[in-house]
Amino acid sequence: MTIDIFQKKVADGEPLAGHEMIEFMREQSDLSRRLLFELNGSYHTPEEICDLFSRITGRDVDPSFRMFPPFYTDFGKNIHVGRNVFINACCQFQDQGGIYIGDGSLIGHSVVLATLNHGLDPQDRQNLYHAPIRIGRGVWIGAHATVLAGVTIGDNAVVAAGAVVTKDVPADAIVGGVPAKFIRSIYSK
């Protein structure tokens, strides 16, 4: 198994199942944890954080990217961030299913982005089912919000602190609550 084969399986919607797949994900998680200990273990300049995050994701991150560690991910190789993205402290990204964050988006303290589910049937419990999280441009996700697998958040939307987002959020919308519901447009008073 390689990252390219893994990402193709994810893009094709195949379940993350079987011994080879689980072992591959465990190996990648181990590699990511080593880098996370380095990222989270001491002070780093913004440039060093960009470099470490690029190593975690396996792709170059724009120099405008900013993060306040600590940061946690259980895989790392399926996180995609645009320009001028800010991720605040203590965020947790479960990214096997793919996390896409658009230009200029702000991710608040302790936000959880979870792209995986286990099978409900006990015989299927060890298998993983995934769906990507897509965050548009200029989105603001408040502290302690959780975004679940398969959710798309439209450009310029705001997710209130503590919200649990289980469904797509339209562009320019403010949502909040558990589960998150539409509150109003950012342009209405």
Side-chain angles (χ1 to χ4, degrees), residues 109-150:
H109 284 94
S110 300
V111 166
V112 174
L113 303 179
T115 67
L116 294 179
N117 283 306
H118 290 275
L120 292 178
D121 183 317
Q123 300 302 315
D124 193 34
R125 192 69 42 86
Q126 293 299 316
N127 291 325
L128 297 169
Y129 298 91
H130 58 85
I133 292 172
R134 298 182 187 281
I135 298 168
R137 292 182 306 274
V139 170
W140 173 23
I141 300 178
H144 295 276
T146 298
V147 181
L148 298 182

Side-chain angles (χ1 to χ4, degrees), residues 53-120:
F53 197 73
S54 293
R55 291 168 51 202
I56 290 166
T57 64
R59 65 187 55 80
D60 288 338
V61 175
D62 191 83
S64 63
F65 172 79
R66 290 294 178 263
M67 171 188 284
F68 290 171
F71 172 78
Y72 307 95
T73 184
D74 57 356
F75 189 68
K77 299 295 188 265
N78 217 359
I79 300 170
H80 311 266
V81 296
R83 297 173 47 87
N84 201 31
V85 167
F86 174 70
I87 299 173
N88 217 324
C90 298
C91 289
Q92 300 174 48
F93 289 11
Q94 182 192 53
D95 66 288
Q96 287 91 335
I99 294 172
Y100 302 85
I101 302 173
D103 294 347
S105 288
L106 308 172
I107 311 298
H109 284 94
S110 300
V111 166
V112 174
L113 303 179
T115 67
L116 294 179
N117 283 306
H118 290 275
L120 292 178

Side-chain angles (χ1 to χ4, degrees), residues 9-84:
K9 287 179 178 289
V10 167
D12 292 344
E14 294 183 31
L16 304 177
H19 179 73
E20 180 184 15
M21 178 64 73
I22 299 303
E23 281 304 308
F24 174 77
M25 290 192 319
R26 286 180 179 157
E27 289 168 9
Q28 293 304 310
S29 293
D30 186 57
L31 293 172
S32 291
R33 278 194 316 275
R34 291 168 193 238
L35 292 167
L36 289 169
F37 279 116
E38 185 176 345
L39 174 68
N40 297 334
S42 63
Y43 172 79
H44 297 285
T45 66
E47 295 78 20
E48 291 169 334
I49 290 171
C50 280
D51 177 63
L52 283 163
F53 197 73
S54 293
R55 291 168 51 202
I56 290 166
T57 64
R59 65 187 55 80
D60 288 338
V61 175
D62 191 83
S64 63
F65 172 79
R66 290 294 178 263
M67 171 188 284
F68 290 171
F71 172 78
Y72 307 95
T73 184
D74 57 356
F75 189 68
K77 299 295 188 265
N78 217 359
I79 300 170
H80 311 266
V81 296
R83 297 173 47 87
N84 201 31

